Amino acid sequence: MDLSREQLLEEQIGFGDLKLQALLELTHAINNNSNFEQLIQLYEFILRQQLNLHKFMFILKRDDWEVALKSGVKFKHKEFDFEKELFRFEEVTLLASSQNELLNEFQYVIPVVHKDQKLAFLLVANEPTLADTTAQPRLTKFLQTITNILVVALENKRLTKAMLRQVELRKELEIAKEMQQFLFPSVLPKNERMDISAKYRTHREVGGDYYDFFEIAENEYIFCIADVSGKGVSAALLMANFQACVRALATYNNFSPEELVIELNKIVFANAQGEKFITFFIGHLDLNSRSLQYINAGHNAPVLTNGKNKVMLDQGTVGLGMFQNLPFLTAPKIELPKNATILLYTDGVVELRNRKGEQFEIERVINIIHAYYPLKTDDLNALIFSKLDEWRDQEDFVDDTAVLTCRFF
């Protein structure tokens, strides 16, 4: 029996009131900053209690696609390929017969699309709750409206949370950078017996390179350089711990270079749990006897030059943290010649590539030292970095880059 005009008008007014109430409840919850679970529960209440829908499925993209709500249908995630089955829908669509058993249970798919990106899908059965036979289009349109409002609110929450996490991460990186800077020597000695200088450029906010030069007794010095495998905060924190250990063990425990390296290997292996390692070079210099003992633990070999002569300081052991116990260890002792220059560096120097893919390599660094001797070490380091910039041209630095130059008269 057909409805009278008065009955249709009453129903339309009732449906309008229903829509208004649902919209007010949803927007009120959003404005009150309700969490994900609370918004989903409210959305389910609107679908079930206010719109009297008993068969629906709400599919949402969070970290991955997931079924956030379902009613009146059995569903197993592994049986359904979300992207394959749903990404073809760009607007509200009346579902035809499908080979997919799940889709056959529904009559409408309502996608939520923002900037060509699919964010969610609502699948509903054709269950008009109004006596008016034209109710379904109006109901579907309303479902589209409230679903879009919900999804946009949830997406804004996700983006806000991600932005806040980025702010927190930025603060953590700033703190880590400040901590790291405290561990580098603030002043390096320059006197009638030596001229020491360093230059460091990090690839990221915090770096994984380390250098140091400090006195352990009168006219006795430790100088070192290190590079941790891997990038990011975890690598930088491992190196920060390593820096503190080097100074503590060398200064307060009076360890020999061999004892120091053995102990450092234990610390790195325990802290990194086999996931990272540190290449390391350490030199112990006695200026009274001009005796230099060193250990190279898998690091790029520093170069010792005197005039046109060069010696690569490449003896020692493997990188620290690779093995629980070092498989071999040697600690050569050599005499330091007059007017010697020792240049320590990390692989960001020699592995820097130009547009042709060619690496800078140590020979170019040695040529710079020879060509500009006796340039002061500050100026020499600045020149090396200038040459690196010329070499890379428009290419980016892909690694931390550190140089420690020591000249002994």
Side-chain angles (χ1 to χ4, degrees):
M1 179 178 174
D2 293 337
L3 295 176
S4 67
R5 180 175 298 179
E6 289 77 10
Q7 288 175 309
L8 290 175
L9 181 60
E10 288 178 3
E11 185 167 282
Q12 290 169 3
I13 294 172
F15 188 45
D17 290 341
L18 185 65
K19 290 194 297 182
L20 181 59
Q21 181 183 351
L23 286 171
L24 286 174
E25 290 175 353
L26 185 57
T27 54
H28 181 71
I30 292 170
N31 291 335
N32 284 342
N33 200 28
S34 299
N35 60 33
F36 175 86
E37 289 75 17
Q38 291 170 332
L39 290 176
I40 290 295
Q41 288 174 5
L42 176 58
Y43 181 63
E44 182 180 18
F45 174 80
I46 292 172
L47 297 183
R48 284 179 179 273
Q49 304 301 323
Q50 294 184 331
L51 299 180
N52 200 28
L53 290 176
H54 301 294
K55 194 170 187 178
F56 57 85
M57 181 180 292
F58 180 49
I59 301 162
L60 180 68
K61 178 68 180 290
R62 299 182 75 189
D63 293 333
D64 201 354
W65 286 100
E66 63 180 60
V67 177
L69 279 178
K70 64 176 181 177
S71 176
V73 59
K74 295 181 180 179
F75 173 75
K76 293 183 179 179
H77 186 285
K78 63 181 181 180
E79 297 176 356
F80 194 77
D81 187 330
F82 293 107
E83 296 188 3
K84 178 182 177 182
E85 298 294 342
L86 296 177
F87 269 39
R88 53 196 169 99
F89 299 109
E90 301 288 341
E91 54 188 23
V92 177
T93 304
L94 178 64
L95 292 171
S97 59
S98 168
Q99 293 182 350
N100 186 279
E101 183 178 348
L102 177 66
L103 290 183
N104 282 333
E105 297 195 38
F106 299 99
Q107 279 72 47
Y108 285 89
V109 57
I110 301 173
V112 177
V113 184
H114 180 65
K115 294 182 179 179
D116 296 326
Q117 183 180 2
K118 308 291 195 309
L119 299 179
F121 296 90
L122 176 65
L123 301 175
V124 293
N126 189 6
E127 298 178 358
T129 60
L130 307 178
D132 181 7
T133 56
T134 64
Q136 185 61 46
R138 289 188 286 121
L139 176 61
T140 305
K141 186 66 177 177
F142 179 63
L143 286 172
Q144 183 183 27
T145 300
I146 63 168
T147 303
N148 272 273
I149 292 172
L150 173 70
V151 172
V152 169
L154 294 176
E155 181 68 5
N156 287 339
K157 281 181 173 293
R158 185 188 68 81
L159 293 175
T160 300
K161 184 177 180 180
M163 184 175 64
L164 291 174
R165 178 56 189 150
Q166 287 296 320
V167 172
E168 292 175 0
L169 180 60
R170 176 65 60 180
K171 290 180 179 178
E172 291 174 2
L173 288 172
E174 289 174 357
I175 293 171
K177 186 175 183 178
E178 290 176 4
M179 291 175 56
Q180 196 173 50
Q181 291 301 318
F182 282 130
L183 294 170
F184 284 102
S186 56
V187 178
L188 293 169
K190 297 179 185 297
N191 52 50
E192 69 280 359
R193 305 195 69 176
M194 68 184 77
D195 178 17
I196 313 298
S197 178
K199 191 171 179 64
Y200 182 32
R201 182 182 292 172
T202 59
H203 174 53
R204 300 185 179 183
E205 288 85 350
V206 290
D209 290 359
Y210 156 59
Y211 62 85
D212 211 343
F213 188 105
F214 55 94
E215 189 174 23
I216 57 173
E218 187 175 0
N219 289 320
E220 284 190 51
Y221 300 89
I222 291 290
F223 59 96
C224 58
I225 196 164
D227 188 0
V228 62
S229 65
K231 310 294 180 189
V233 175
S234 62
L237 292 177
L238 177 62
M239 185 58 82
N241 175 264
F242 182 79
Q243 289 172 284
C245 290
V246 170
R247 282 228 171 196
L249 294 174
T251 304
Y252 302 110
N253 294 70
N254 198 28
F255 281 170
S256 69
E258 298 100 315
E259 293 170 328
L260 178 63
V261 167
I262 290 172
E263 192 64 27
L264 288 171
N265 182 70
K266 293 177 182 178
I267 293 170
V268 176
F269 187 85
N271 289 342
Q273 300 179 343
E275 295 182 358
K276 288 181 173 60
F277 64 90
I278 293 177
T279 65
F280 180 57
F281 175 92
I282 184 168
H284 176 203
L285 175 64
D286 185 339
L287 271 183
N288 291 325
S289 63
R290 298 192 71 84
S291 171
L292 172 63
Q293 186 177 23
Y294 76 87
I295 297 174
N296 189 330
H299 196 77
N300 295 288
V303 57
L304 187 158
T305 66
N306 178 29
K308 294 297 182 180
N309 300 319
K310 68 175 183 180
V311 176
M312 305 305 293
L313 307 179
D314 56 3
Q315 302 300 305
T317 186
V318 297
L320 305 183
M322 289 182 171
F323 302 98
Q324 188 169 5
N325 298 302
L326 296 173
F328 60 88
L329 177 60
T330 58
K333 186 177 290 189
I334 61 176
E335 182 180 349
L336 185 69
K338 289 286 186 179
N339 299 317
T341 300
I342 302 177
L343 185 127
L344 299 80
Y345 55 94
T346 56
D347 53 16
V349 174
V350 293
E351 294 181 3
L352 182 66
R353 296 181 182 273
N354 61 14
R355 286 186 172 185
K356 297 179 181 179
E358 300 167 329
Q359 293 186 345
F360 194 74
E361 298 182 347
I362 187 58
E363 288 302 322
R364 289 184 175 85
V365 181
I366 295 172
N367 290 339
I368 294 171
I369 299 172
H370 289 162
Y372 292 92
Y373 181 85
L375 197 63
K376 291 182 179 180
T377 57
D378 282 341
D379 297 329
L380 180 60
N381 289 344
L383 179 62
I384 290 172
F385 272 76
S386 175
K387 296 294 184 182
L388 290 173
D389 285 334
E390 290 178 10
W391 180 258
R392 69 184 178 90
D393 194 12
Q394 299 300 317
E395 300 297 311
D396 292 330
F397 280 96
V398 296
D399 203 351
D400 300 331
T401 306
V403 170
L404 174 63
T405 304
C406 309
R407 183 165 293 150
F408 303 100
F409 304 114

PDB file of all heavy atoms in Angstrom, residues 101-131:
ATOM      1  N   GLU A 101      33.038 -14.606  -2.422  1.00  0.00           N
ATOM      2  CA  GLU A 101      31.918 -15.018  -1.575  1.00  0.00           C
ATOM      3  C   GLU A 101      31.541 -13.941  -0.569  1.00  0.00           C
ATOM      4  O   GLU A 101      30.357 -13.721  -0.283  1.00  0.00           O
ATOM      5  CB  GLU A 101      32.279 -16.308  -0.846  1.00  0.00           C
ATOM      6  CG  GLU A 101      31.162 -16.881   0.011  1.00  0.00           C
ATOM      7  CD  GLU A 101      31.561 -18.194   0.664  1.00  0.00           C
ATOM      8  OE1 GLU A 101      32.604 -18.757   0.260  1.00  0.00           O
ATOM      9  OE2 GLU A 101      30.848 -18.626   1.574  1.00  0.00           O
ATOM     10  N   LEU A 102      32.533 -13.223  -0.051  1.00  0.00           N
ATOM     11  CA  LEU A 102      32.251 -12.190   0.944  1.00  0.00           C
ATOM     12  C   LEU A 102      31.473 -11.032   0.327  1.00  0.00           C
ATOM     13  O   LEU A 102      30.467 -10.572   0.885  1.00  0.00           O
ATOM     14  CB  LEU A 102      33.549 -11.683   1.569  1.00  0.00           C
ATOM     15  CG  LEU A 102      33.403 -10.554   2.581  1.00  0.00           C
ATOM     16  CD1 LEU A 102      32.653 -11.024   3.818  1.00  0.00           C
ATOM     17  CD2 LEU A 102      34.755  -9.981   2.972  1.00  0.00           C
ATOM     18  N   LEU A 103      31.918 -10.537  -0.803  1.00  0.00           N
ATOM     19  CA  LEU A 103      31.239  -9.400  -1.436  1.00  0.00           C
ATOM     20  C   LEU A 103      29.804  -9.730  -1.806  1.00  0.00           C
ATOM     21  O   LEU A 103      28.935  -8.850  -1.839  1.00  0.00           O
ATOM     22  CB  LEU A 103      32.015  -8.939  -2.670  1.00  0.00           C
ATOM     23  CG  LEU A 103      33.363  -8.248  -2.427  1.00  0.00           C
ATOM     24  CD1 LEU A 103      33.969  -7.787  -3.744  1.00  0.00           C
ATOM     25  CD2 LEU A 103      33.200  -7.068  -1.479  1.00  0.00           C
ATOM     26  N   ASN A 104      29.532 -10.974  -2.107  1.00  0.00           N
ATOM     27  CA  ASN A 104      28.175 -11.377  -2.461  1.00  0.00           C
ATOM     28  C   ASN A 104      27.190 -11.218  -1.306  1.00  0.00           C
ATOM     29  O   ASN A 104      25.973 -11.243  -1.505  1.00  0.00           O
ATOM     30  CB  ASN A 104      28.164 -12.824  -2.949  1.00  0.00           C
ATOM     31  CG  ASN A 104      28.654 -12.935  -4.388  1.00  0.00           C
ATOM     32  OD1 ASN A 104      28.534 -11.996  -5.169  1.00  0.00           O
ATOM     33  ND2 ASN A 104      29.219 -14.079  -4.736  1.00  0.00           N
ATOM     34  N   GLU A 105      27.695 -11.069  -0.087  1.00  0.00           N
ATOM     35  CA  GLU A 105      26.815 -10.901   1.064  1.00  0.00           C
ATOM     36  C   GLU A 105      26.348  -9.458   1.225  1.00  0.00           C
ATOM     37  O   GLU A 105      25.497  -9.163   2.066  1.00  0.00           O
ATOM     38  CB  GLU A 105      27.522 -11.364   2.338  1.00  0.00           C
ATOM     39  CG  GLU A 105      27.882 -12.848   2.336  1.00  0.00           C
ATOM     40  CD  GLU A 105      28.248 -13.345   3.724  1.00  0.00           C
ATOM     41  OE1 GLU A 105      27.604 -12.888   4.694  1.00  0.00           O
ATOM     42  OE2 GLU A 105      29.164 -14.163   3.826  1.00  0.00           O
ATOM     43  N   PHE A 106      26.930  -8.532   0.449  1.00  0.00           N
ATOM     44  CA  PHE A 106      26.601  -7.118   0.590  1.00  0.00           C
ATOM     45  C   PHE A 106      26.060  -6.563  -0.720  1.00  0.00           C
ATOM     46  O   PHE A 106      26.306  -7.109  -1.795  1.00  0.00           O
ATOM     47  CB  PHE A 106      27.839  -6.325   1.022  1.00  0.00           C
ATOM     48  CG  PHE A 106      28.393  -6.767   2.348  1.00  0.00           C
ATOM     49  CD1 PHE A 106      29.476  -7.637   2.410  1.00  0.00           C
ATOM     50  CD2 PHE A 106      27.823  -6.326   3.527  1.00  0.00           C
ATOM     51  CE1 PHE A 106      29.986  -8.051   3.625  1.00  0.00           C
ATOM     52  CE2 PHE A 106      28.330  -6.742   4.758  1.00  0.00           C
ATOM     53  CZ  PHE A 106      29.406  -7.604   4.809  1.00  0.00           C
ATOM     54  N   GLN A 107      25.328  -5.453  -0.589  1.00  0.00           N
ATOM     55  CA  GLN A 107      24.755  -4.814  -1.773  1.00  0.00           C
ATOM     56  C   GLN A 107      25.474  -3.510  -2.132  1.00  0.00           C
ATOM     57  O   GLN A 107      25.460  -3.092  -3.281  1.00  0.00           O
ATOM     58  CB  GLN A 107      23.261  -4.506  -1.554  1.00  0.00           C
ATOM     59  CG  GLN A 107      22.366  -5.713  -1.770  1.00  0.00           C
ATOM     60  CD  GLN A 107      22.500  -6.724  -0.648  1.00  0.00           C
ATOM     61  OE1 GLN A 107      22.462  -6.368   0.526  1.00  0.00           O
ATOM     62  NE2 GLN A 107      22.673  -7.989  -1.001  1.00  0.00           N
ATOM     63  N   TYR A 108      26.078  -2.856  -1.148  1.00  0.00           N
ATOM     64  CA  TYR A 108      26.719  -1.568  -1.400  1.00  0.00           C
ATOM     65  C   TYR A 108      28.145  -1.562  -0.847  1.00  0.00           C
ATOM     66  O   TYR A 108      28.416  -2.156   0.221  1.00  0.00           O
ATOM     67  CB  TYR A 108      25.937  -0.422  -0.746  1.00  0.00           C
ATOM     68  CG  TYR A 108      24.665  -0.054  -1.452  1.00  0.00           C
ATOM     69  CD1 TYR A 108      23.457  -0.681  -1.129  1.00  0.00           C
ATOM     70  CD2 TYR A 108      24.660   0.921  -2.459  1.00  0.00           C
ATOM     71  CE1 TYR A 108      22.292  -0.346  -1.774  1.00  0.00           C
ATOM     72  CE2 TYR A 108      23.490   1.253  -3.112  1.00  0.00           C
ATOM     73  CZ  TYR A 108      22.310   0.629  -2.771  1.00  0.00           C
ATOM     74  OH  TYR A 108      21.140   0.953  -3.426  1.00  0.00           O
ATOM     75  N   VAL A 109      29.039  -0.895  -1.548  1.00  0.00           N
ATOM     76  CA  VAL A 109      30.368  -0.589  -1.021  1.00  0.00           C
ATOM     77  C   VAL A 109      30.511   0.930  -1.033  1.00  0.00           C
ATOM     78  O   VAL A 109      30.211   1.599  -2.034  1.00  0.00           O
ATOM     79  CB  VAL A 109      31.500  -1.261  -1.836  1.00  0.00           C
ATOM     80  CG1 VAL A 109      31.459  -0.882  -3.308  1.00  0.00           C
ATOM     81  CG2 VAL A 109      32.860  -0.898  -1.239  1.00  0.00           C
ATOM     82  N   ILE A 110      30.926   1.475   0.092  1.00  0.00           N
ATOM     83  CA  ILE A 110      31.088   2.925   0.241  1.00  0.00           C
ATOM     84  C   ILE A 110      32.566   3.199   0.536  1.00  0.00           C
ATOM     85  O   ILE A 110      33.040   2.956   1.657  1.00  0.00           O
ATOM     86  CB  ILE A 110      30.204   3.462   1.378  1.00  0.00           C
ATOM     87  CG1 ILE A 110      28.733   3.137   1.099  1.00  0.00           C
ATOM     88  CG2 ILE A 110      30.411   4.957   1.571  1.00  0.00           C
ATOM     89  CD1 ILE A 110      27.798   3.475   2.241  1.00  0.00           C
ATOM     90  N   PRO A 111      33.316   3.668  -0.451  1.00  0.00           N
ATOM     91  CA  PRO A 111      34.741   3.945  -0.215  1.00  0.00           C
ATOM     92  C   PRO A 111      34.956   5.339   0.362  1.00  0.00           C
ATOM     93  O   PRO A 111      34.168   6.258   0.119  1.00  0.00           O
ATOM     94  CB  PRO A 111      35.339   3.836  -1.618  1.00  0.00           C
ATOM     95  CG  PRO A 111      34.233   4.263  -2.523  1.00  0.00           C
ATOM     96  CD  PRO A 111      32.932   3.867  -1.845  1.00  0.00           C
ATOM     97  N   VAL A 112      36.028   5.472   1.116  1.00  0.00           N
ATOM     98  CA  VAL A 112      36.477   6.794   1.567  1.00  0.00           C
ATOM     99  C   VAL A 112      37.802   7.067   0.871  1.00  0.00           C
ATOM    100  O   VAL A 112      38.787   6.363   1.095  1.00  0.00           O
ATOM    101  CB  VAL A 112      36.646   6.847   3.096  1.00  0.00           C
ATOM    102  CG1 VAL A 112      37.193   8.218   3.512  1.00  0.00           C
ATOM    103  CG2 VAL A 112      35.318   6.566   3.784  1.00  0.00           C
ATOM    104  N   VAL A 113      37.801   8.079   0.015  1.00  0.00           N
ATOM    105  CA  VAL A 113      38.975   8.392  -0.800  1.00  0.00           C
ATOM    106  C   VAL A 113      39.388   9.835  -0.529  1.00  0.00           C
ATOM    107  O   VAL A 113      38.554  10.743  -0.543  1.00  0.00           O
ATOM    108  CB  VAL A 113      38.684   8.210  -2.311  1.00  0.00           C
ATOM    109  CG1 VAL A 113      39.951   8.454  -3.135  1.00  0.00           C
ATOM    110  CG2 VAL A 113      38.113   6.826  -2.577  1.00  0.00           C
ATOM    111  N   HIS A 114      40.686  10.018  -0.262  1.00  0.00           N
ATOM    112  CA  HIS A 114      41.203  11.370  -0.038  1.00  0.00           C
ATOM    113  C   HIS A 114      42.478  11.546  -0.851  1.00  0.00           C
ATOM    114  O   HIS A 114      43.452  10.811  -0.673  1.00  0.00           O
ATOM    115  CB  HIS A 114      41.499  11.587   1.447  1.00  0.00           C
ATOM    116  CG  HIS A 114      42.040  12.961   1.763  1.00  0.00           C
ATOM    117  ND1 HIS A 114      41.303  14.107   1.592  1.00  0.00           N
ATOM    118  CD2 HIS A 114      43.252  13.353   2.228  1.00  0.00           C
ATOM    119  CE1 HIS A 114      42.027  15.155   1.948  1.00  0.00           C
ATOM    120  NE2 HIS A 114      43.222  14.724   2.332  1.00  0.00           N
ATOM    121  N   LYS A 115      42.457  12.517  -1.775  1.00  0.00           N
ATOM    122  CA  LYS A 115      43.606  12.792  -2.650  1.00  0.00           C
ATOM    123  C   LYS A 115      44.060  11.516  -3.352  1.00  0.00           C
ATOM    124  O   LYS A 115      45.257  11.178  -3.362  1.00  0.00           O
ATOM    125  CB  LYS A 115      44.749  13.409  -1.856  1.00  0.00           C
ATOM    126  CG  LYS A 115      44.423  14.791  -1.305  1.00  0.00           C
ATOM    127  CD  LYS A 115      45.606  15.390  -0.559  1.00  0.00           C
ATOM    128  CE  LYS A 115      45.272  16.780  -0.030  1.00  0.00           C
ATOM    129  NZ  LYS A 115      46.394  17.380   0.725  1.00  0.00           N
ATOM    130  N   ASP A 116      43.105  10.810  -3.914  1.00  0.00           N
ATOM    131  CA  ASP A 116      43.353   9.573  -4.657  1.00  0.00           C
ATOM    132  C   ASP A 116      43.891   8.444  -3.785  1.00  0.00           C
ATOM    133  O   ASP A 116      44.368   7.421  -4.294  1.00  0.00           O
ATOM    134  CB  ASP A 116      44.332   9.814  -5.820  1.00  0.00           C
ATOM    135  CG  ASP A 116      43.770  10.768  -6.854  1.00  0.00           C
ATOM    136  OD1 ASP A 116      42.543  10.746  -7.058  1.00  0.00           O
ATOM    137  OD2 ASP A 116      44.547  11.540  -7.440  1.00  0.00           O
ATOM    138  N   GLN A 117      43.825   8.611  -2.485  1.00  0.00           N
ATOM    139  CA  GLN A 117      44.299   7.570  -1.578  1.00  0.00           C
ATOM    140  C   GLN A 117      43.118   6.917  -0.881  1.00  0.00           C
ATOM    141  O   GLN A 117      42.281   7.592  -0.288  1.00  0.00           O
ATOM    142  CB  GLN A 117      45.256   8.161  -0.538  1.00  0.00           C
ATOM    143  CG  GLN A 117      45.846   7.117   0.411  1.00  0.00           C
ATOM    144  CD  GLN A 117      46.788   7.733   1.426  1.00  0.00           C
ATOM    145  OE1 GLN A 117      46.975   8.943   1.452  1.00  0.00           O
ATOM    146  NE2 GLN A 117      47.385   6.906   2.257  1.00  0.00           N
ATOM    147  N   LYS A 118      43.010   5.600  -0.978  1.00  0.00           N
ATOM    148  CA  LYS A 118      41.942   4.862  -0.323  1.00  0.00           C
ATOM    149  C   LYS A 118      42.251   4.755   1.178  1.00  0.00           C
ATOM    150  O   LYS A 118      43.302   4.267   1.578  1.00  0.00           O
ATOM    151  CB  LYS A 118      41.817   3.452  -0.926  1.00  0.00           C
ATOM    152  CG  LYS A 118      41.686   3.404  -2.454  1.00  0.00           C
ATOM    153  CD  LYS A 118      40.378   3.955  -2.921  1.00  0.00           C
ATOM    154  CE  LYS A 118      40.079   3.591  -4.377  1.00  0.00           C
ATOM    155  NZ  LYS A 118      41.162   3.886  -5.327  1.00  0.00           N
ATOM    156  N   LEU A 119      41.293   5.219   1.991  1.00  0.00           N
ATOM    157  CA  LEU A 119      41.486   5.202   3.441  1.00  0.00           C
ATOM    158  C   LEU A 119      40.602   4.184   4.153  1.00  0.00           C
ATOM    159  O   LEU A 119      40.969   3.687   5.217  1.00  0.00           O
ATOM    160  CB  LEU A 119      41.226   6.593   4.023  1.00  0.00           C
ATOM    161  CG  LEU A 119      42.121   7.735   3.525  1.00  0.00           C
ATOM    162  CD1 LEU A 119      41.709   9.038   4.183  1.00  0.00           C
ATOM    163  CD2 LEU A 119      43.590   7.427   3.792  1.00  0.00           C
ATOM    164  N   ALA A 120      39.422   3.906   3.580  1.00  0.00           N
ATOM    165  CA  ALA A 120      38.493   2.987   4.254  1.00  0.00           C
ATOM    166  C   ALA A 120      37.403   2.553   3.289  1.00  0.00           C
ATOM    167  O   ALA A 120      37.198   3.171   2.236  1.00  0.00           O
ATOM    168  CB  ALA A 120      37.876   3.657   5.479  1.00  0.00           C
ATOM    169  N   PHE A 121      36.689   1.478   3.690  1.00  0.00           N
ATOM    170  CA  PHE A 121      35.540   0.988   2.924  1.00  0.00           C
ATOM    171  C   PHE A 121      34.473   0.524   3.912  1.00  0.00           C
ATOM    172  O   PHE A 121      34.784  -0.135   4.914  1.00  0.00           O
ATOM    173  CB  PHE A 121      35.925  -0.195   2.023  1.00  0.00           C
ATOM    174  CG  PHE A 121      36.918   0.141   0.956  1.00  0.00           C
ATOM    175  CD1 PHE A 121      38.283   0.018   1.196  1.00  0.00           C
ATOM    176  CD2 PHE A 121      36.506   0.590  -0.290  1.00  0.00           C
ATOM    177  CE1 PHE A 121      39.206   0.329   0.218  1.00  0.00           C
ATOM    178  CE2 PHE A 121      37.419   0.914  -1.274  1.00  0.00           C
ATOM    179  CZ  PHE A 121      38.778   0.775  -1.032  1.00  0.00           C
ATOM    180  N   LEU A 122      33.226   0.887   3.614  1.00  0.00           N
ATOM    181  CA  LEU A 122      32.095   0.363   4.377  1.00  0.00           C
ATOM    182  C   LEU A 122      31.266  -0.503   3.448  1.00  0.00           C
ATOM    183  O   LEU A 122      30.794  -0.048   2.404  1.00  0.00           O
ATOM    184  CB  LEU A 122      31.238   1.504   4.941  1.00  0.00           C
ATOM    185  CG  LEU A 122      29.961   1.067   5.672  1.00  0.00           C
ATOM    186  CD1 LEU A 122      30.305   0.279   6.935  1.00  0.00           C
ATOM    187  CD2 LEU A 122      29.088   2.275   6.010  1.00  0.00           C
ATOM    188  N   LEU A 123      31.084  -1.770   3.816  1.00  0.00           N
ATOM    189  CA  LEU A 123      30.233  -2.704   3.064  1.00  0.00           C
ATOM    190  C   LEU A 123      28.927  -2.861   3.841  1.00  0.00           C
ATOM    191  O   LEU A 123      28.942  -3.150   5.035  1.00  0.00           O
ATOM    192  CB  LEU A 123      30.930  -4.058   2.923  1.00  0.00           C
ATOM    193  CG  LEU A 123      32.296  -4.068   2.215  1.00  0.00           C
ATOM    194  CD1 LEU A 123      32.906  -5.456   2.279  1.00  0.00           C
ATOM    195  CD2 LEU A 123      32.153  -3.618   0.768  1.00  0.00           C
ATOM    196  N   VAL A 124      27.788  -2.673   3.152  1.00  0.00           N
ATOM    197  CA  VAL A 124      26.497  -2.771   3.829  1.00  0.00           C
ATOM    198  C   VAL A 124      25.532  -3.595   2.986  1.00  0.00           C
ATOM    199  O   VAL A 124      25.597  -3.596   1.758  1.00  0.00           O
ATOM    200  CB  VAL A 124      25.888  -1.376   4.093  1.00  0.00           C
ATOM    201  CG1 VAL A 124      26.707  -0.618   5.105  1.00  0.00           C
ATOM    202  CG2 VAL A 124      25.752  -0.589   2.811  1.00  0.00           C
ATOM    203  N   ALA A 125      24.608  -4.283   3.702  1.00  0.00           N
ATOM    204  CA  ALA A 125      23.540  -4.997   3.022  1.00  0.00           C
ATOM    205  C   ALA A 125      22.374  -4.038   2.784  1.00  0.00           C
ATOM    206  O   ALA A 125      22.257  -2.993   3.439  1.00  0.00           O
ATOM    207  CB  ALA A 125      23.085  -6.189   3.860  1.00  0.00           C
ATOM    208  N   ASN A 126      21.535  -4.379   1.846  1.00  0.00           N
ATOM    209  CA  ASN A 126      20.407  -3.515   1.479  1.00  0.00           C
ATOM    210  C   ASN A 126      19.264  -3.745   2.461  1.00  0.00           C
ATOM    211  O   ASN A 126      18.394  -4.592   2.244  1.00  0.00           O
ATOM    212  CB  ASN A 126      19.964  -3.826   0.052  1.00  0.00           C
ATOM    213  CG  ASN A 126      18.937  -2.818  -0.451  1.00  0.00           C
ATOM    214  OD1 ASN A 126      18.651  -1.850   0.225  1.00  0.00           O
ATOM    215  ND2 ASN A 126      18.408  -3.064  -1.637  1.00  0.00           N
ATOM    216  N   GLU A 127      19.274  -2.969   3.537  1.00  0.00           N
ATOM    217  CA  GLU A 127      18.272  -3.126   4.582  1.00  0.00           C
ATOM    218  C   GLU A 127      17.585  -1.788   4.850  1.00  0.00           C
ATOM    219  O   GLU A 127      17.841  -1.112   5.847  1.00  0.00           O
ATOM    220  CB  GLU A 127      18.907  -3.644   5.876  1.00  0.00           C
ATOM    221  CG  GLU A 127      19.547  -5.023   5.728  1.00  0.00           C
ATOM    222  CD  GLU A 127      20.209  -5.459   7.020  1.00  0.00           C
ATOM    223  OE1 GLU A 127      20.203  -4.680   7.984  1.00  0.00           O
ATOM    224  OE2 GLU A 127      20.714  -6.575   7.076  1.00  0.00           O
ATOM    225  N   PRO A 128      16.749  -1.320   3.953  1.00  0.00           N
ATOM    226  CA  PRO A 128      16.095  -0.015   4.193  1.00  0.00           C
ATOM    227  C   PRO A 128      15.293  -0.054   5.476  1.00  0.00           C
ATOM    228  O   PRO A 128      14.506  -0.968   5.705  1.00  0.00           O
ATOM    229  CB  PRO A 128      15.201   0.172   2.969  1.00  0.00           C
ATOM    230  CG  PRO A 128      15.012  -1.187   2.400  1.00  0.00           C
ATOM    231  CD  PRO A 128      16.255  -1.961   2.716  1.00  0.00           C
ATOM    232  N   THR A 129      15.540   0.939   6.326  1.00  0.00           N
ATOM    233  CA  THR A 129      14.838   0.979   7.610  1.00  0.00           C
ATOM    234  C   THR A 129      13.590   1.832   7.551  1.00  0.00           C
ATOM    235  O   THR A 129      12.875   1.951   8.524  1.00  0.00           O
ATOM    236  CB  THR A 129      15.784   1.548   8.680  1.00  0.00           C
ATOM    237  OG1 THR A 129      16.166   2.863   8.270  1.00  0.00           O
ATOM    238  CG2 THR A 129      17.018   0.694   8.827  1.00  0.00           C
ATOM    239  N   LEU A 130      13.364   2.484   6.401  1.00  0.00           N
ATOM    240  CA  LEU A 130      12.222   3.374   6.280  1.00  0.00           C
ATOM    241  C   LEU A 130      11.165   2.765   5.371  1.00  0.00           C
ATOM    242  O   LEU A 130      11.474   2.036   4.437  1.00  0.00           O
ATOM    243  CB  LEU A 130      12.680   4.718   5.710  1.00  0.00           C
ATOM    244  CG  LEU A 130      13.855   5.401   6.453  1.00  0.00           C
ATOM    245  CD1 LEU A 130      14.240   6.679   5.752  1.00  0.00           C
ATOM    246  CD2 LEU A 130      13.489   5.658   7.897  1.00  0.00           C
ATOM    247  N   ALA A 131       9.911   3.104   5.641  1.00  0.00           N
ATOM    248  CA  ALA A 131       8.836   2.583   4.792  1.00  0.00           C
ATOM    249  C   ALA A 131       8.894   3.172   3.396  1.00  0.00           C
ATOM    250  O   ALA A 131       8.468   2.563   2.424  1.00  0.00           O
ATOM    251  CB  ALA A 131       7.488   2.895   5.436  1.00  0.00           C
TER     252      ALA A 131
END
